[in-house]
C-alpha cells in the first residue's frame, strides 16, 4: 500500500521533484482517513491545519452564499484540497464533502515541519510546488472572474 501511495504522490504536480525517500517520510507521518458519502472533511471557516490527497472517491468543494452551499469544484483520485493550510494561518476558505465514499491521505503542518527538519531541500521544493498550485488556481479564478464580468450579456 505504501508503494501505491508513493506512486500516487509522484503523479501529482504538487509533489513534483520530491524524491522517493521524502515521499515515504511524509506518508509515514500522514493520517489515512475514510469518509462516507455525504460526510464533510471540513467546513468553511474552520481552523485549517492539513491538506488532503484523494486516493479513492470524489469530493465537492463548496462555498456559502446567503447561508447556502454552492458547489464550485469536483475533485477525484489524485487531486488534492486544503493545501492553503500549509502556507497560511487563515481558516478554511471552503467546505469539502464526500460525493461518494473516499479514502484520503491527510498531511498536517507537523508532517511538513518534520520534513523541514529532516530534509530542508525537499521541504523547500514542496513549499514552492504548493505555492505554484495556489498561484495556478488564482490565475484560473481571475480568468473566470474577468470572463464573467466582461463577457457579452445574452
Amino acid at each position: 500500500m505504501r508503494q501505491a501511495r508513493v506512486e500516487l504522490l509522484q503523479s501529482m504536480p504538487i509533489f513534483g521533484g520530491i524524491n522517493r525517500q521524502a515521499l515515504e517520510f511524509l506518508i509515514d507521518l500522514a493520517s489515512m482517513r475514510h469518509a462516507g458519502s455525504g460526510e464533510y472533511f471540513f467546513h468553511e471557516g474552520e481552523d485549517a491545519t492539513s491538506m488532503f490527497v484523494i486516493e479513492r472517491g470524489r469530493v465537492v468543494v463548496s462555498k456559502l452564499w446567503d447561508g447556502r452551499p454552492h458547489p464550485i469544484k469536483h475533485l477525484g483520485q489524485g487531486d488534492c484540497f486544503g493545501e492553503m493550510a500549509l502556507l497560511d494561518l487563515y481558516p478554511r476558505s471552503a467546505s469539502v464533502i464526500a460525493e461518494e465514499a473516499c479514502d484520503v491521505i491527510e498531511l498536517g503542518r507537523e508532517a511538513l515541519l518534520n520534513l523541514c527538519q529532516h530534509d530542508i531541500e525537499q521541504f523547500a521544493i514542496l513549499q514552492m510546488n504548493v505555492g505554484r498550485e495556489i498561484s495556478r488556481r488564482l490565475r484560473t479564478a481571475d480568468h473566470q472572474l474577468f470572463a464573467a464580468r466582461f463577457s457579452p450579456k445574452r
Side-chain angles (χ1 to χ4, degrees), residues 18 26 48 51 56-57 76 97 102 104 107 110-111 133-134 146 152:
I18 306 297
L26 285 172
M51 69 166 283
R56 182 183 64 84
I97 187 171
C102 291
V104 300
L107 287 169
E110 301 80 23
E133 177 63 18
I134 292 169
F146 182 83

Side-chain angles (χ1 to χ4, degrees), residues 84-119:
M84 289 190 316
L86 302 181
L87 291 182
D88 67 23
L89 301 174
Y90 290 95
R92 297 288 186 191
S93 63
S95 298
V96 177
I97 187 171
E99 286 186 294
E100 58 188 51
C102 291
D103 292 314
V104 300
I105 302 167
E106 182 176 7
L107 287 169
R109 285 186 192 143
E110 301 80 23
L112 269 83
L113 177 60
N114 286 329
L115 178 62
C116 180
Q117 294 166 345
H118 177 75
D119 189 332

Side-chain angles (χ1 to χ4, degrees), residues 21 27 48 64 66 81 86 141 153:
Q21 293 80 15
I27 288 169
L64 290 175
D66 285 337
F81 58 92
L86 302 181
K153 306 281 188 228

Side-chain angles (χ1 to χ4, degrees), residues 6 9-10 12-24 26 115 121-129:
V6 167
L9 296 183
Q10 286 176 326
M12 301 173 63
I14 203 165
F15 294 100
I18 306 297
N19 66 40
R20 173 174 291 283
Q21 293 80 15
L23 292 175
E24 289 174 349
L26 285 172
L115 178 62
E121 183 178 308
Q122 293 299 295
F123 171 80
I125 293 169
L126 180 57
Q127 289 295 90
M128 287 188 308
N129 288 349

